[in-house]
Amino acid sequence: MPRLYLKSRECTGCNMAKVLFLPIGVGLAHTGRSIMIARELEKRGVDVAFGAGGDAVALLEKEHFPFFPLPEFKRAVYERKVKNNNFFIYSRKTIETYVRAELDLYDKVKPDLVVFDTRITAKISSQIAKIPVISVNNSDVTPYYDYSKTKFPATTSLEKFLPPRILALLDRGYGQRLLRIIGPKLMQAVLLAMIIKCSQALLKLGYKFSRDPYQFFSGDLTLLADIPQYRPVTRLPDNYKMVGPIFWDGGEKLPCWQKEVEGKKEIIYVTAGGTGDKEIFLKILEFLEETNFTVVATAGNTLKPSAVRFDNPNIFVTDIVPGAWIMKRAKLVIFPGGNLTAYQALSFGVPQICTPFHIDQEDNANQLVRLGTGIMLNPRLNFSKDALLNAVGRIMVDEKYKANAKRMQKILAGYHGAKTAAEEIIKYIDCHCDPESASWRIEGEATAIRRDPAEAGQ
């Protein structure tokens, strides 16, 4: 494992780190939380840059950080594969293309440290380049997720292979007991199959495998953007730190209809998020059109707001709104089950309805149901106008959903994810301090100085 050396931040004349963030460019959540950590690092004097592609580009163009484009798989691939729980996204060709692009970027930027969020090729390229790497991820993509305390997300992952009656049996009782035993093993087998499939390209690039099926999601240090009450874990090793949720604030731009909405009381917030489904999003709005609720809808990256047309004056549509602004006013959030929205809703004590499409979204939905803060509606099995309106009615009438969400709000108030993540990154740097040198270097690699030595006296 490469180790990083730097003189302490307090030392006169020492170089500060150049940290390169490489988030996966699909959706908003991964780029958003990378941005929040980067802001905190920049406050502490760290030199920050980004490399990303896809949906991340538009988001990063609004930020002031140096940004470099990287190849990213198209949204159509997400629609075809990830939504159907096919995680064999990366082919040998794409892995080789992405890794080589990242290596070229390292030569250009000369980072001292890489921080990646779900962009698995960053783990590969950083090892090849012998650059220390930190991963930001969630507990469910680690071997330490404690499935004995939560449901295994069976419905979305198995619905293509099993009839609804069998799925219903697996979703409770003895079926869940079985899945808690074999489910994690099946997930590890899928990850190992992915590694084997791409092994030829990885060996060609010079990547050294480990035995860990989750190796592409971990770093020299792995920061988990979770809390144990939400995603329970077994005892974590020293290089895994649970820092709390990190969610992008949505910017500061408010919609032109801001004041009109602020005068309303019964507000439902519907968001497609970064990776939602266009048809389900429009159906939800269609079903709610006949109610007396005020509906604030954000299309995110799923479709353009101009493509959403309703005559109802109580439906307000835009692309993105500041999260704090809408969450303070919403009585209910309806969303696909993305991690960012789930934690953000809980942070403001707002109940939820989730419509998950893949295993990660269903895992979020399972947590909210377990905590008693929300309801899950499978968009492929039990989604209809009656089902949605009944779920809305239950949450609006039954005070337990609001009370449970408020309880989680109090717990989350003690966490400051982005700040804690930045502190852990700084601590990682300081713990690998070389008191004899003002330069960055990799342990055992005397020639691998990442900064120009001429800068050392600045």
Side-chain angles (χ1 to χ4, degrees):
M1 182 183 296
R3 295 186 64 189
L4 189 65
Y5 287 95
L6 174 68
K7 281 186 71 68
S8 172
R9 293 174 65 234
E10 287 75 23
C11 295
T12 304
C14 70
N15 289 338
M16 286 309 298
K18 176 174 278 189
V19 177
L20 178 63
F21 281 85
L22 300 180
I24 192 170
V26 179
L28 303 173
H30 303 286
T31 304
R33 63 187 181 189
S34 294
I35 287 171
M36 300 307 286
I37 298 171
R39 288 179 185 173
E40 292 293 333
L41 286 175
E42 196 172 56
K43 290 176 187 177
R44 292 157 173 79
V46 177
D47 190 2
V48 174
F50 274 81
D55 298 331
V57 173
L59 201 58
L60 286 166
E61 284 177 345
K62 299 176 183 178
E63 299 289 329
H64 64 275
F65 305 113
F67 165 67
F68 302 89
L70 286 174
E72 182 62 83
F73 65 84
K74 293 181 171 57
R75 189 181 179 88
V77 176
Y78 171 86
E79 299 284 345
R80 188 174 71 252
K81 292 189 174 184
V82 178
K83 267 191 184 178
N84 293 296
N85 290 288
N86 178 356
F87 295 103
F88 289 87
I89 302 171
Y90 294 94
S91 65
R92 296 171 188 172
K93 182 179 179 181
T94 55
I95 282 184
E96 188 169 349
T97 300
Y98 292 9
V99 168
R100 292 196 184 283
E102 290 159 11
L103 291 171
D104 288 343
L105 182 56
Y106 300 158
D107 286 339
K108 182 185 297 184
V109 176
K110 293 183 169 47
D112 302 301
L113 178 67
V114 170
V115 178
F116 76 101
D117 189 328
T118 318
R119 186 180 173 97
I120 66 170
T121 52
K123 171 63 180 289
I124 301 165
S125 60
S126 61
Q127 187 210 79
I128 295 168
K130 295 183 172 62
I131 302 173
V133 63
I134 291 176
S135 170
V136 179
N137 227 307
N138 291 102
S139 305
D140 56 332
V141 287
T142 74
Y144 309 107
Y145 194 24
D146 190 354
Y147 279 107
S148 69
K149 297 178 181 177
T150 185
K151 284 180 69 174
F152 185 85
T155 308
T156 55
S157 56
L158 299 175
E159 64 189 4
K160 290 192 300 182
F161 311 105
L162 299 172
R165 183 177 296 180
I166 302 298
L167 282 175
L169 291 174
L170 288 174
D171 203 38
R172 61 179 185 267
Y174 288 108
Q176 268 298 310
R177 291 184 192 178
L178 175 65
L179 285 173
R180 283 170 180 154
I181 296 170
I182 67 171
K185 292 181 172 59
L186 287 173
M187 289 178 64
Q188 291 179 24
V190 170
L191 291 172
L192 285 171
M194 181 177 70
I195 293 171
I196 292 169
K197 176 188 175 185
C198 300
S199 59
Q200 185 177 351
L202 294 170
L203 289 169
K204 179 181 177 182
L205 290 163
Y207 178 76
K208 296 178 181 178
F209 295 94
S210 74
R211 296 181 179 180
D212 182 8
Y214 297 92
Q215 61 191 275
F216 294 148
F217 299 98
S218 64
D220 301 329
L221 171 67
T222 300
L223 304 177
L224 301 178
D226 277 314
I227 62 172
Q229 294 88 343
Y230 186 85
R231 280 201 172 98
V233 294
T234 56
R235 186 175 179 179
L236 296 173
D238 291 341
N239 64 330
Y240 278 73
K241 306 292 183 181
M242 189 170 272
V243 298
I246 304 165
F247 39 83
W248 181 54
D249 55 17
E252 298 178 353
K253 184 181 178 181
L254 288 167
C256 59
W257 34 259
Q258 164 202 353
K259 292 184 178 179
E260 190 174 352
V261 167
E262 287 175 350
K264 308 288 185 179
K265 291 185 177 180
E266 297 292 310
I267 297 175
I268 294 178
Y269 175 38
V270 181
T271 179
T275 53
D277 182 87
K278 177 172 62 176
E279 292 182 8
I280 293 298
F281 178 69
L282 292 173
K283 276 188 178 180
I284 291 170
L285 297 183
E286 178 186 331
F287 296 159
L288 292 174
E289 186 180 18
E290 299 178 16
T291 70
N292 294 321
F293 296 109
T294 298
V295 178
V296 172
T298 55
N301 293 328
T302 301
L303 70 167
K304 293 182 179 179
S306 59
V308 184
R309 294 189 178 91
F310 289 93
D311 295 330
N312 191 328
N314 287 323
I315 295 180
F316 300 86
V317 183
T318 187
D319 53 353
I320 296 171
V321 294
W325 177 80
I326 185 58
M327 290 294 181
K328 287 177 182 177
R329 294 166 172 80
K331 295 292 182 74
L332 166 67
V333 177
I334 304 176
F335 70 115
N339 193 74
L340 184 154
T341 306
Y343 266 125
Q344 196 169 48
L346 292 176
S347 296
F348 285 87
V350 183
Q352 322 83 24
I353 294 175
C354 296
T355 58
F357 283 89
H358 56 71
I359 192 168
D360 195 48
Q361 291 177 345
E362 186 181 351
D363 185 73
N364 281 310
N366 282 343
Q367 308 319 314
L368 299 173
V369 171
R370 176 178 62 84
L371 294 168
T373 68
I375 294 172
M376 180 173 73
L377 295 177
N378 189 307
R380 296 189 181 102
L381 294 179
N382 60 342
F383 190 79
S384 65
K385 180 179 179 180
D386 287 344
L388 178 70
L389 295 184
N390 285 338
V392 170
R394 282 170 57 192
I395 286 180
M396 291 297 191
V397 172
D398 194 337
E399 290 293 328
K400 72 178 182 183
Y401 292 102
K402 183 70 173 179
N404 289 331
K406 286 291 185 182
R407 178 175 57 83
M408 289 302 299
Q409 182 183 20
K410 290 179 181 178
I411 293 171
L412 284 163
Y415 287 86
H416 306 280
K419 183 178 179 180
T420 305
E423 289 170 352
E424 289 292 343
I425 292 171
I426 294 292
K427 192 186 301 181
Y428 175 84
I429 293 170
D430 286 343
C431 284
H432 297 81
C433 170
D434 179 6
E436 302 300 324
S437 171
S439 301
W440 291 83
R441 67 182 178 86
I442 303 299
E443 183 181 44
E445 297 288 335
T447 60
I449 294 176
R450 311 305 304 176
R451 290 288 182 94
D452 185 345
E455 297 178 359
Q458 292 182 2

